[in-house]
Amino acid sequence: ASAYVAENHDSLINNSIVVGRHVDYTVQEGNFTFILALLGSMESSKDLLAPTLQRVVRTYGRIFNQTPRSRYLMTVFYADEADAEAFSNSAAFTERDPLTKNNLIRWGNTLAHELFHSWNGHAIRAEDYAASQWFAEGFTEYFANLALVQQGLISEDLFIRKMENNLGLYLYFKSAPAFDGITLKQAGSKKGLYRLGVYDGGWAVAFCLDVLIRDETQGRKSLADFMRLMYARFGLTAKQYRYEDLITAAGEILGHDI
């Protein structure tokens, strides 16, 4: 008989657990082991899913090169609705429509987004959950988009179109009367209602900070260096960050008070 041991109640309940027949694929990047488990008819998409996630894992492994020995499981299967949920060391992803190269921008981005949460959102955690959602979700979405274009999984033209969409929705959030006076930090208190502030607003901050870092360091550093510092300072220590810690870390990367 097969058996497994859960570290604690949280890892038993808030987790993705696969029992039964499935097809899996393992990627090793440094100390980080990524396992992709495909259930049911999703097995037929292995040749498309596995190389895509392998390249994303490689990208994230270079950003978070201090990741200790750890394992991350992502389960993917077809269901009536498309959805995704990330936990501390696993994620579950459901899709309704067949996965193809033509719609990789959608499913590939979702998979890359949920995987990045292993570092940003779970390892790197804030004292104030609601007030930090613009960072946890928006920066995660930015790096998911960036990973796809840097690995040649989507074209630069498509990345620019996504950029236009994110920035446009953020500007709408800033100007629409329905969101009048709502800051990005406040948007996290009603994540669904103020989604444009959480995801698109956070994305806009990530993009602008990335450009600022690249410009002021003549390309020697990027937003990846900022995330690496945040991970070393908070992800590896289990210390929760405050808003002021984000400002401090960004200033250290730039070399002046931001």
Side-chain angles (χ1 to χ4, degrees), residues 206-223:
F207 167 69
C208 291
L209 183 56
D210 196 11
V211 171
L212 188 65
I213 293 172
R214 291 171 186 266
D215 281 352
E216 292 199 16
T217 64
Q218 289 75 53
R220 294 190 304 274
K221 295 180 180 179
S222 70
L223 195 63

Side-chain angles (χ1 to χ4, degrees), residues 120-138:
N120 188 31
H122 289 290
I124 306 172
R125 298 176 60 206
E127 285 185 358
D128 190 330
Y129 174 84
S132 66
Q133 286 305 288
W134 64 272
F135 176 71
E137 297 292 357

Side-chain angles (χ1 to χ4, degrees), residues 15-16 72-76 84-87 89-93 114-115:
N15 224 331
S16 180
Y72 194 87
L73 168 69
M74 180 174 284
T75 59
V76 186
E85 184 65 44
F87 307 102
N89 57 7
S90 68
F93 173 78
E114 297 304 329
L115 178 57

Side-chain angles (χ1 to χ4, degrees), residues 51-144:
T52 299
L53 267 298
Q54 181 177 25
R55 290 157 79 173
V56 171
V57 169
R58 301 273 188 239
T59 300
Y60 294 168
R62 288 194 293 269
I63 296 173
F64 302 105
N65 53 14
Q66 292 179 291
T67 300
R69 188 170 301 281
S70 54
R71 293 164 65 87
Y72 194 87
L73 168 69
M74 180 174 284
T75 59
V76 186
F77 54 97
Y78 285 110
D80 292 336
E81 297 293 336
D83 203 357
E85 184 65 44
F87 307 102
S88 59
N89 57 7
S90 68
F93 173 78
T94 62
E95 183 55 69
R96 182 182 60 185
D97 302 318
L99 306 188
T100 68
K101 286 186 177 180
N102 291 333
N103 59 17
L104 185 148
I105 183 60
R106 180 173 51 77
W107 61 261
N109 193 89
T110 301
L111 291 172
H113 180 106
E114 297 304 329
L115 178 57
F116 198 81
H117 272 317
S118 177
W119 293 276
N120 188 31
H122 289 290
I124 306 172
R125 298 176 60 206
E127 285 185 358
D128 190 330
Y129 174 84
S132 66
Q133 286 305 288
W134 64 272
F135 176 71
E137 297 292 357
F139 274 53
T140 293
E141 181 68 4
Y142 178 73
F143 274 99

Side-chain angles (χ1 to χ4, degrees), residues 218-232:
Q218 289 75 53
R220 294 190 304 274
K221 295 180 180 179
S222 70
L223 195 63
D225 294 281
F226 167 79
M227 292 304 301
R228 194 176 297 115
L229 177 59
M230 286 295 297
Y231 182 66

